[in-house]
Amino acid sequence: MVRKPVVSTISSGGYLQGNVNGKLPSLGGKEPPGQEKVVLKKKITLLRGISIIIGTIIGAGIFISPKGVLQNTGSVGMSLIIWTVCGVLSLFGALSYAELGTSIKKSGGHYTYILEVFGPLPAFVRVWVELLIIRPAATAVISLAFGRYILEPFFIQCEIPELAIKLITAVGITVVMVLNSMSVSWSARIQIFLTFCKLTAILIIIVPGVMQLIKGKTQHFQDAFSGRDASIMGLPLAFYYGMYAYAGWFYLNFVTEEVENPEKTIPLAICISMAIVTTGYVLTNVAYFTTISAEELLLSNAVAVTFSERLLGNFSLAVPIFVALSCFGSMNGGVFAVSRLFYVASREGHLPEILSMIHVRKHTPLPAVIVLHPLTMIMLFSGDLYSLLNFLSFARWLFIGLAVAGLIYLRYKRPEMHRPFKTE
């Protein structure tokens, strides 16, 4: 595949194409008069890295998935085990990505690792599936959750109109796209704020739950493993719901080239984030069962709202707002990270060249962000998103598995590779 030469912008231009060798142009080189190189700057600190991971993982999953996990495990005790095991498995996957991210210091995540190990064909397939289907569908689904929860306080006594949900969702998607087009710093700062909102939402559930335990409200934990036995088909579905709630630990690897001191920042951010998320998820599920029985949880369409209505009284109206902010944070983190995937793929020649352009003043991959907007809108106003996403989630995990297999392959084929962080 022939790669096109680097194109520099003159002062009147708007964009600059990335370096064709897989590395962003450095600021140290000398440029002809009237020309300058434009790069994605290293603005991702440890705190921002943690906020990207936590802020993308914690979306609507922990507020919706408990029903799916319980439904497919059949008992309270087994559902808590599934939540814990999913956290441990996600940590193992995240540590594998930490090794890959510190060994291959390029943005792009799964795409870059598959390209480095298995060559251009599977990487090409990976990025086009992500661009056309997975990312627009995933963004539309989490955005619909945002639209539904943000309108919840205004439609307490009646059903929320589907058109109203989609219109508010479209506004939310547009705001996220504009934000990521305008400034990396502001996008990262807002992500930090939204991450604190997410953790606040979880604490609003955990703290009353712990108080219930102190009061001796443990009736729903008695005979925790009694109930319907989990079927052979049920357990994989339970893991699917659990892993969906944990999805997002890989997004920091999409922006490796923008991370300050990636050899230390990436592993540390991953370990801290996964410890916080796993602990928070398990404690949140314990809190649910201090107030809601297994049967009541299965009948609820919004577990967090049902829980807050039981314990928090009028303050329960704040919970849908915090959940909506949580979903908005996942939208923002996902768009921020995946736009870098498209930027890198374009730089490698696997996507149209315009997607590797960087705005000369704002230092954002503007075309790579904007391309998601019409595709997401099409998904939003089209058919059954959830069936499509369920089908394509298999493709996402398949490519993640392929990237982890690439780690093992590199261990044997390139043992001399410099590995600042190694998963033993």
Side-chain angles (χ1 to χ4, degrees):
M1 182 173 294
V2 178
R3 294 172 178 167
K4 297 184 179 180
V6 176
V7 179
S8 298
T9 39
I10 35 185
S11 55
S12 60
Y15 304 100
L16 172 77
Q17 186 182 6
N19 190 298
V20 294
N21 294 323
K23 295 180 181 178
L24 293 172
S26 67
L27 293 174
K30 294 181 179 179
E31 296 297 321
Q35 294 186 345
E36 60 177 6
K37 285 187 176 180
V38 181
V39 299
L40 296 176
K41 296 182 178 179
K42 290 183 176 291
K43 293 187 176 182
I44 309 299
T45 61
L46 176 61
L47 179 59
R48 289 177 176 179
I50 292 170
S51 73
I52 288 173
I53 298 174
I54 294 180
T56 311
I57 292 177
I58 303 176
I62 186 58
F63 308 108
I64 298 172
S65 292
K67 179 178 178 178
V69 173
L70 180 62
Q71 194 170 29
N72 290 286
T73 54
S75 66
V76 172
M78 196 64 191
S79 71
L80 293 176
I81 288 176
I82 292 292
W83 279 104
T84 305
V85 172
C86 285
V88 174
L89 289 175
S90 297
L91 176 61
F92 289 158
L95 291 175
S96 298
Y97 266 56
E99 179 174 333
L100 286 167
T102 54
S103 302
I104 305 172
K105 298 182 185 67
K106 298 179 186 178
S107 297
H110 331 310
Y111 164 81
T112 297
Y113 309 143
I114 291 172
L115 177 64
E116 288 283 326
V117 178
F118 299 108
L121 181 58
F124 178 86
V125 173
R126 168 72 182 91
V127 74
W128 276 100
V129 170
E130 182 77 28
L131 173 64
L132 294 178
I133 304 174
I134 293 180
R135 177 44 44 185
T139 303
V141 167
I142 191 67
S143 302
L144 280 170
F146 162 78
R148 182 174 295 277
Y149 276 102
I150 202 73
L151 290 173
E152 186 84 28
F154 303 100
F155 293 86
I156 299 173
Q157 302 298 330
C158 59
E159 191 70 23
I160 305 173
E162 287 298 320
L163 180 60
I165 293 174
K166 290 192 174 183
L167 289 175
I168 290 295
T169 297
V171 172
I173 292 170
T174 304
V175 170
V176 168
M177 299 296 177
V178 170
L179 176 63
N180 280 274
S181 300
M182 296 300 291
S183 171
V184 173
S185 294
W186 272 106
S187 181
R189 287 169 187 157
I190 290 175
Q191 189 67 15
I192 292 173
F193 167 74
L194 293 171
T195 298
F196 281 110
C197 289
K198 293 168 184 280
L199 295 176
T200 301
I202 287 181
L203 286 174
I204 288 174
I205 295 169
I206 290 175
V207 172
V210 170
M211 293 175 65
Q212 290 288 92
L213 286 176
I214 293 172
K215 293 176 182 177
K217 303 289 185 179
T218 59
Q219 64 273 21
H220 299 144
F221 296 101
Q222 296 172 2
D223 299 321
F225 291 91
S226 65
R228 181 175 55 82
D229 292 333
S231 64
I232 295 175
M233 292 300 294
L235 281 178
L237 286 172
F239 272 105
Y240 168 79
Y241 279 104
M243 295 302 289
Y244 170 76
Y246 280 101
W249 44 261
F250 40 77
Y251 279 120
L252 187 60
N253 294 65
F254 283 39
V255 296
T256 301
E257 293 168 17
E258 295 171 73
V259 176
E260 294 181 358
N261 193 10
E263 296 183 355
K264 292 183 179 179
T265 301
I266 291 177
L268 196 56
I270 284 173
C271 290
I272 293 172
S273 300
M274 292 311 301
I276 292 173
V277 171
T278 303
T279 303
Y281 275 14
V282 174
L283 289 178
T284 299
N285 278 276
V286 170
Y288 287 148
F289 290 118
T290 61
T291 304
I292 307 172
S293 68
E295 293 75 16
E296 291 169 330
L297 191 145
L298 291 175
L299 293 174
S300 173
N301 291 322
V303 182
V305 175
T306 303
F307 174 87
S308 61
E309 287 173 350
R310 294 278 183 88
L311 284 186
L312 303 179
N314 292 332
F315 187 69
S316 63
L317 291 176
V319 172
I321 302 298
F322 276 110
V323 175
L325 291 173
S326 178
C327 295
F328 189 85
S330 288
M331 293 157 57
N332 183 58
V335 170
F336 180 88
V338 174
S339 61
R340 272 62 177 176
L341 165 61
F342 300 150
Y343 165 82
V344 172
S346 174
R347 196 174 63 187
E348 296 291 339
H350 287 164
L351 288 177
E353 184 179 1
I354 191 173
L355 298 185
S356 64
M357 302 294 179
I358 303 169
H359 196 281
V360 70
R361 292 182 298 277
K362 303 182 189 304
H363 300 278
T364 59
L366 186 61
V369 175
I370 292 176
V371 71
L372 280 171
H373 190 268
L375 295 171
T376 305
M377 289 299 175
I378 291 170
M379 287 288 184
L380 176 64
F381 289 98
S382 63
D384 187 358
L385 281 172
Y386 294 93
S387 297
L388 180 64
L389 190 62
N390 286 340
F391 174 74
L392 290 166
S393 289
F394 171 77
R396 169 189 280 177
W397 290 109
L398 174 66
F399 284 116
I400 290 174
L402 196 60
V404 174
L407 169 67
I408 300 171
Y409 178 84
L410 288 174
R411 288 276 188 93
Y412 286 97
K413 292 295 183 179
R414 296 174 62 183
E416 77 287 350
M417 176 185 279
H418 178 56
R419 294 177 172 86
F421 178 84
K422 191 172 181 180
T423 306
E424 297 294 344

